Amino acid sequence: MRLISKILQKEIVVIIGGPGTGKTTIIDGLITKGYCCYPEISREVTMEAKKQGIEQLFLENPLLFSELLLEGRKKQFHNATAEPHNVVFLDRGIPDVLAYMHYIGDSYPAFFDQACREHIYTKIFILPPWEEIYISDDERYENFEQAKLIYNHLTETYQKYGYNLIEVPKGTVDERILFILNQL
C-alpha cells in the first residue's frame, strides 16, 4: 500500500540556492529531458518594474517586490498541483521570499509566514555557493560574499519550516541532474 501511495503522490520539488549557483541551468536541463519545470520569477518581476521606470524594485521597495514574488510563487505552486505530471520542479519556492527579507533585515506581514505554512513542497534541493561559476549580471546585483549570506538565510528559513534540505554536489549539469533524479 505504501508503494501505491508513493506512486500516486505528486512531487512538487524546489531547487534553491543563493544567486549564481546553477539553479536555472539545472531547470533548463530538466526541461530538455522532458520534465515539467517552472522558472524563477524574480527576473520577470524585475524586468516588469524596469518597464515602469523602477531600476531595482527589490532595492527601492523590497516589500512590494517581495509581495509580487510571493503571489507569483503561490500561483506557481497551485499551477504545479494541477499539472498532469507526477513530478514538477520549481526554481525557488515561497520560503525564498522570507529568506531574502531576513537577509536585508526587513520585516513582513504575517501572511508571508502563513503562505509558507500552507504551501508544502515534497522535496527541497539546495545548491551550495560555487565561486567558480558565479557571474553577476543586470538582474543579479549581489557579490559572491553576499551570495553566501543568502545561502545561509535560505538554509535557516527552509529548516524553520521543517524541510530536510538535500545538498546537490558540485559537478557537471548532467551529474547534478542525475543526483536530483536519483533522490526522487
Side-chain angles (χ1 to χ4, degrees), residues 16-67:
I16 67 169
T21 55
K23 293 177 303 300
T24 301
T25 302
I26 289 173
I27 290 289
D28 291 345
L30 287 164
I31 291 169
T32 301
K33 293 183 182 307
Y35 287 91
C36 179
C37 301
Y38 285 64
E40 160 63 277
I41 60 172
S42 66
R43 288 179 183 263
E44 181 182 315
V45 170
T46 300
M47 295 208 289
E48 184 59 37
K50 282 184 178 184
K51 287 180 189 173
Q52 297 174 17
I54 304 168
E55 197 54 36
Q56 281 289 351
L57 181 58
F58 178 69
L59 296 176
E60 294 177 37
N61 192 338
L63 186 57
L64 174 59
F65 180 80
S66 297
E67 286 175 355

Side-chain angles (χ1 to χ4, degrees), residues 4-5 24 27 33 49 53 75 88 90 103 107 124 127-128 134 148 176:
I4 292 171
S5 66
T24 301
I27 290 289
K33 293 183 182 307
K75 183 177 178 182
V88 179
L90 304 176
Y103 165 70
S107 59
I124 308 295
L127 306 178
Y134 184 84
K148 290 193 298 189
R176 296 177 108 190

Side-chain angles (χ1 to χ4, degrees), residues 6 14 26 33-34 76 81 99 106 114 129 151 155 171 177 180:
K6 175 69 174 165
V14 181
I26 289 173
K33 293 183 182 307
Q76 281 186 330
T81 62
D106 268 7
Q114 183 179 348
Y151 170 85
T155 300
I177 289 172
I180 290 167

